[in-house]
Amino acid sequence: MRKKSSLLTVLLQVGVVLLFVFGIYLFLNKDQQGSHHETAKNKTEQTAQKKTSAHQASSLPDVSPDDWELVLVNRDHITAEMNPDLADINGISVDSRIAENTRNFLAAAQKVDAGEHLISGYRSVAYQEELYNNYVAQEKANNSSLSQEEAEKQVQTYSQPPGASEHQTGLAVDMSTVDSLNESDPDVVAKIAELAPKYGFVLRFPKDKKSATGIDYEDWHYRYVGVKSAKYMTKHNLTLEEYLEKLKEK
Ligand SMILES: [Zn+2]
């Protein structure tokens, strides 16, 4: 009887130990499964993130930052005389490759407001230099206490130094209802800017983008970049500088 009961006690003790070990096994196993699950979840999220950025990159138009219509000319990209092959539209010259689009863009703009007209197109670096120097001289004449540097700084709020103006590409036009910068009806400007991409143009110096372009708002300066790029840039509110960065990342 005593032997029987001590055997029972031993069996019970073994049982308790087994249960305890099994419990620990279950606990550890569950934790591991949890961390596996966690890793799997992270992987899914990472894959999703990769897919999103790949999707964004692939939705970029199939163009190269080296394409002729995406050439970048600004104060950080001073460019020598480019001598494009020119075509004449109402006395304004543009790169002959964009002549048809410019004509069509102008015609569409004139349907919005009959007063829309081309003010400026291609300007050689030499002509831009002449223009720039005249402006500097004017500023100095208006205020004799200005140094050369101060006068140039003043001029650069409305005109580019030679080699830094997009007009030398033949891919930029100034188009407005009036011959003064930022004096056109903003509603008309908004409508023209909206239809510009259809003809491959973008409003090149939008409001609140001076940090990217280095240029204050200009309601008349349109730049040809090609239809696909113009539509993408407008949709995503990108300047040419920002857009080219994205293309180079791709
Ligand atoms: Zn311009």
Side-chain angles (χ1 to χ4, degrees):
M1 193 65 186
R2 251 193 89 194
K3 250 191 183 171
K4 230 183 183 177
S5 75
S6 73
L7 186 66
L8 199 68
T9 313
V10 169
L11 279 175
L12 272 173
Q13 280 172 346
V14 169
V16 167
V17 169
L18 279 176
L19 268 175
F20 183 69
V21 169
F22 186 61
I24 286 176
Y25 169 77
L26 276 182
F27 177 76
L28 286 177
N29 201 32
K30 187 182 165 214
D31 199 46
Q32 265 189 349
Q33 270 180 355
S35 67
H36 275 188
H37 180 67
E38 208 44 39
T39 316
K41 193 179 157 206
N42 279 346
K43 270 194 183 155
T44 314
E45 275 171 8
Q46 279 169 7
T47 315
Q49 274 170 2
K50 269 186 197 162
K51 270 187 186 164
T52 312
S53 64
H55 178 69
Q56 274 175 353
S58 69
S59 72
L60 269 169
D62 186 23
V63 296
S64 161
D66 299 322
D67 289 345
W68 62 269
E69 67 262 52
L70 295 178
V71 65
L72 184 63
V73 176
N74 60 28
R75 273 176 237 162
D76 297 326
H77 296 81
I78 300 287
T79 309
E81 209 75 83
M82 294 168 82
N83 303 310
D85 181 41
L86 297 172
D88 179 274
I89 305 168
N90 305 345
I92 298 295
S93 297
V94 293
D95 185 312
S96 58
R97 290 170 290 190
I98 71 160
E100 198 185 333
N101 281 47
T102 308
R103 275 193 202 98
N104 292 339
F105 180 33
L106 175 64
Q110 286 171 338
K111 277 183 190 155
V112 175
D113 189 311
E116 286 289 341
H117 62 284
L118 296 175
I119 296 159
S120 187
Y122 171 73
R123 296 200 292 259
S124 68
V125 177
Y127 181 67
Q128 185 69 25
E129 185 165 14
E130 209 178 297
L131 209 59
Y132 182 80
N133 289 340
N134 282 343
Y135 286 139
V136 174
Q138 260 173 38
E139 289 295 338
K140 281 176 147 178
N142 291 343
N143 183 350
S144 56
S145 67
L146 283 183
S147 69
Q148 173 73 16
E149 202 185 335
E150 284 164 342
E152 287 200 35
K153 207 179 163 195
Q154 186 58 34
V155 169
Q156 285 181 20
T157 62
Y158 56 86
S159 180
Q160 295 309 305
S165 167
E166 246 184 7
H167 285 279
Q168 75 199 51
T169 65
L171 304 175
V173 292
D174 295 335
M175 184 177 78
S176 182
T177 53
V178 289
D179 287 347
S180 319
L181 181 62
N182 298 344
E183 295 287 333
S184 192
D185 178 352
D187 290 339
V188 171
V189 176
K191 280 180 191 158
I192 310 291
E194 201 184 321
L195 60 84
K198 195 180 163 191
Y199 306 95
F201 285 88
V202 292
L203 186 67
R204 180 69 174 87
F205 306 118
K207 281 175 184 157
D208 308 320
K209 284 287 189 176
K210 194 184 177 181
S211 58
T213 64
I215 311 280
D216 282 311
Y217 176 59
E218 288 197 7
D219 72 347
W220 69 14
H221 185 106
Y222 290 91
R223 163 63 197 266
Y224 182 85
V225 291
V227 173
K228 279 190 280 187
S229 295
K231 284 185 173 170
Y232 187 91
M233 287 166 67
T234 305
K235 185 179 173 191
H236 297 274
N237 190 28
L238 296 171
T239 63
L240 184 55
E241 285 82 1
E242 294 165 324
Y243 178 59
L244 286 170
E245 277 305 308
K246 280 200 178 290
L247 285 180
K248 283 171 190 166
E249 279 168 20
K250 192 166 85 169

